[in-house]
Amino acid sequence: MSLQISNLSKSYGRVRALNDVSLAVNPGEVLGIMGVNGAGKSTLLNCICGFATPDAGAIELGGRGICGQRPDHVSRAGVGRTFQVPRSFRSLTVLENLLVVPARGEPSGILFDRAHHALEKVKLATLANNYAGELSGGQQKLLELARILILEPQVVLFDEPLAGMHSDLCRVSLDEVAEMLSRSVAVMLVCHDPGIPYRLACRGPKRPGRHRGPSGRPALIGG
Amino acid sequence: MPPLMTGAIVNAVALGILYGLLGLSLTIIYGAMRIANLAHGEMVLAGSYVAYVVTTQLGYSPLAAIPVAFTLLFLLAFALFAVAGRRLQTARDPEMASFLFFYGVSLMVGSGLLFLFDADARSVIFQFQPISYRVLGLVIPKARAVAVGVALVLVPALFLFLYRTTPGKALRAAVMNRDALRIVGVDVERLSLVAFSVSAGIAGVTGVLLALVFPAFTPFSGLDYTITGFVVIVLGGLGSPLGALLGGMLFAFSEQLTTLWIGQSAGVLAGFLILVLVVAIRPAGLIGQAEWKS
């Protein structure tokens, strides 16, 4: 499924966080969004996944409008997201963090197996019964990644996925993103380091601004 | 140990578990939804009045009042939340908005009870057989034993729900981080609706049990329960179920022992004194982590 954003605008008071942003991410593509703090990167993600309602514009997921929908609806429509500061459930165990996901009509045993599998992938299986609050910052980011893996989303939005992460953990994370891309997941990546999307062979406008989604891979387009 | 002392301790344990139950339903709502239910005491009181109607007016056992109180309060809360829940949750300052809204609800329920039952104190008139037990020289009224017995079933059941089932874990996850729960596709609004209704139902049951312990109540007793509830959860740590139980015990023990040593009027004072001390030294409460704040 592709994510299509057209003419999106959002203001907070007199601050124009998003100004007529148009871009698209297609299956198997990674789109890097870069910009200084306050450029509107997180606002863009918040508008997509329903935490903020844009003032104007449209957001389409596989041709279906999701603009202004509630976060849980957007999630179930197939959009996954991580946060810049990882948001885990600190007093639940690592495994339980994955099990609070609502059942999709499948027996709980399958969800359990999938959760274990996801934890193995991000190398957290040995910590399954530890509390999430006991994990390091980097491990919490991996936990968020595992949470996305079991949801099997079609579009994934990463907010600073590697910031403050040890290089070994970075590799685990990058491998998973690469594998998602190979499964035709559309990936949007907010980051400060142009090297990351570059390594994933990316394309991307430098900041959400007045430009149409250009293509070419990998390519860097200035704003 | 002198018998008075033993009696006070037995009383404190009994009251403590009931106060814990009072706080438990309140803390889940506050933690998971940032809803300060100022009408909690009136919901408890409504449960007491259900017990009054079922026993004194209709002549059934107080145990029969338990499912009635649960159902009535569940339905009342469900209707309230269906009307105002969404608005409260999306308010810019949900705590203040809910505070005012539920202050209104508390006045409404209070005056509703006044209209239905007049201002006179009412009590549950029902005699268990036998009226009391004699254990190791202590006289324990059966009504009190029944109340504690029910609470002793209800509290572990609630904990089992919160710590062992998926909806329970989701509810605790909502206390920890609402947004993260929404992002994985949980319908937090529906979860809130059910949780709020169940919490009100439990408040109603708590009212039935408290009616067995405290002899008389008036339509104005609600505020006392609300205050006790909030004291208990602030003591234990907002949003912490275990903290509510601990806070309830601490409050009941300080109340009972001070009553024994100093006097009745000092009893309540001691509880509040401990509250001030705990808040001054450990603002997050005894075992609170204040993580719902983030």
Side-chain angles (χ1 to χ4, degrees):
Chain A
M1 251 190 302
S2 60
L3 180 71
Q4 183 99 37
I5 290 164
S6 4
N7 310 104
L8 207 64
S9 293
K10 169 80 183 169
S11 299
Y12 291 105
R14 275 179 296 172
V15 179
R16 194 116 205 221
L18 296 177
N19 187 15
D20 200 23
V21 177
S22 296
L23 48 83
V25 205
N26 295 312
E29 277 183 355
V30 53
L31 175 72
I33 309 272
M34 274 162 273
V36 293
N37 294 333
K41 307 183 297 292
S42 293
T43 302
L44 178 62
L45 294 197
N46 284 343
C47 284
I48 297 171
C49 58
F51 286 123
T53 313
D55 303 329
I59 304 169
E60 285 183 347
L61 183 70
R64 229 188 51 175
I66 56 163
C67 198
Q69 285 199 10
R70 277 179 7 205
D72 52 305
H73 287 164
V74 176
S75 166
R76 272 177 284 177
V79 178
R81 180 201 171 153
T82 68
F83 293 94
Q84 185 169 3
V85 178
R87 298 192 184 179
S88 54
F89 308 119
R90 300 177 60 85
S91 306
L92 296 186
T93 67
V94 168
L95 183 62
E96 283 174 340
N97 261 267
L98 305 185
L99 296 178
V100 293
V101 167
R104 289 181 294 185
E106 54 200 358
S108 59
I110 289 184
L111 178 64
F112 197 77
D113 289 344
R114 239 188 2 213
H116 264 295
H117 186 59
L119 286 181
E120 268 166 26
K121 277 181 142 178
V122 299
K123 312 276 189 284
L124 287 178
T126 51
L127 299 171
N129 293 318
N130 285 58
Y131 287 109
E134 298 167 359
L135 299 183
S136 72
Q139 286 170 328
Q140 301 223 13
K141 291 208 159 192
L142 290 178
L143 178 57
E144 275 201 325
L145 185 63
R147 201 159 66 189
I148 285 185
L149 287 174
I150 63 163
L151 288 169
E152 294 173 353
Q154 301 296 305
V155 175
V156 180
L157 319 171
F158 288 104
D159 198 348
E160 296 283 359
L162 304 180
M165 229 182 184
H166 185 265
S167 60
D168 287 356
L169 300 186
C170 281
R171 188 160 324 117
V172 173
S173 196
L174 281 174
D175 286 350
E176 281 316 312
V177 178
E179 204 195 309
M180 279 183 185
L181 290 169
S182 73
R183 287 200 311 265
S184 292
V185 172
V187 173
M188 200 159 134
L189 208 117
V190 165
C191 53
H192 279 113
D193 176 9
I196 300 159
Y198 211 86
R199 273 157 82 184
L200 289 160
C202 83
R203 54 185 209 137
K206 209 168 185 182
R207 56 159 286 177
R210 268 183 191 282
H211 4 260
R212 299 282 130 77
S215 33
R217 71 172 52 216
L220 202 62
I221 290 93
Chain B
M1 220 187 297
L4 263 178
M5 182 69 172
T6 333
I9 289 176
V10 169
N11 271 344
V13 171
L15 274 179
I17 195 156
L18 289 178
Y19 287 166
L21 196 58
L22 189 67
L24 206 52
S25 45
L26 192 60
T27 206
I28 292 170
I29 296 309
Y30 187 72
M33 284 158 243
R34 321 280 210 279
I35 282 183
N37 185 2
L38 215 57
H40 201 71
E42 270 72 18
M43 291 179 172
V44 170
L45 188 61
S48 296
Y49 274 97
V50 170
Y52 165 73
V53 171
V54 169
T55 56
T56 310
Q57 293 191 336
L58 302 175
Y60 292 107
S61 158
L63 290 175
I66 289 173
V68 180
F70 184 89
T71 314
L72 269 176
L73 272 301
F74 182 96
L75 292 177
L76 174 73
F78 196 93
L80 270 178
F81 205 82
V83 171
R86 199 188 151 76
R87 219 182 151 70
L88 289 177
Q89 302 250 286
T90 51
R92 192 159 294 181
D93 182 356
E95 274 147 359
M96 199 36 145
S98 65
F99 208 73
L100 292 174
F101 177 77
F102 283 105
Y103 182 60
V105 172
S106 81
L107 293 178
M108 197 178 78
V109 176
S111 32
L113 291 173
L114 184 62
F115 175 75
L116 288 172
F117 299 101
D118 299 331
D120 299 336
R122 304 285 169 185
S123 58
V124 168
I125 298 171
F126 181 83
Q127 287 197 340
F128 282 100
Q129 293 301 331
I131 291 176
S132 60
Y133 297 113
R134 203 168 265 283
V135 188
L136 303 169
L138 279 174
V139 178
I140 299 174
K142 188 173 176 184
R144 199 162 275 214
V146 167
V148 172
V150 173
L152 279 177
V153 173
L154 213 56
V155 170
L158 269 173
F159 272 86
L160 226 66
F161 165 74
L162 283 170
Y163 287 86
R164 286 279 173 269
T165 69
T166 305
K169 285 173 189 169
L171 200 57
R172 279 168 55 232
V175 176
M176 299 168 210
N177 201 318
R178 265 177 89 81
D179 284 346
L181 199 58
R182 295 161 88 193
I183 212 76
V184 296
V186 175
D187 186 345
V188 177
E189 279 179 34
R190 203 180 57 181
L191 186 71
S192 303
L193 174 64
V194 174
F196 183 70
S197 309
V198 171
S199 150
I202 292 167
V205 175
T206 311
V208 176
L209 301 182
L210 281 173
L212 292 177
V213 175
F214 293 123
F217 41 85
T218 74
F220 314 109
S221 308
L223 189 61
D224 292 345
Y225 294 146
T226 305
I227 290 174
T228 305
F230 274 103
V231 167
V232 160
I233 66 173
V234 170
L235 266 179
L238 290 164
S240 161
L242 208 60
L245 205 56
L246 208 66
M249 280 292 169
L250 186 64
F251 192 65
F253 263 87
S254 68
E255 195 183 73
Q256 291 299 311
L257 292 181
T258 321
T259 303
L260 177 68
W261 288 328
I262 304 174
Q264 180 85 52
S265 53
V268 187
L269 192 66
F272 289 120
L273 206 64
I274 287 183
L275 173 74
V276 171
L277 283 177
V278 167
V279 171
I281 298 164
R282 270 189 71 89
L286 291 174
I287 55 173
Q289 299 172 7
E291 59 195 347
W292 43 271
K293 264 186 177 164
S294 60

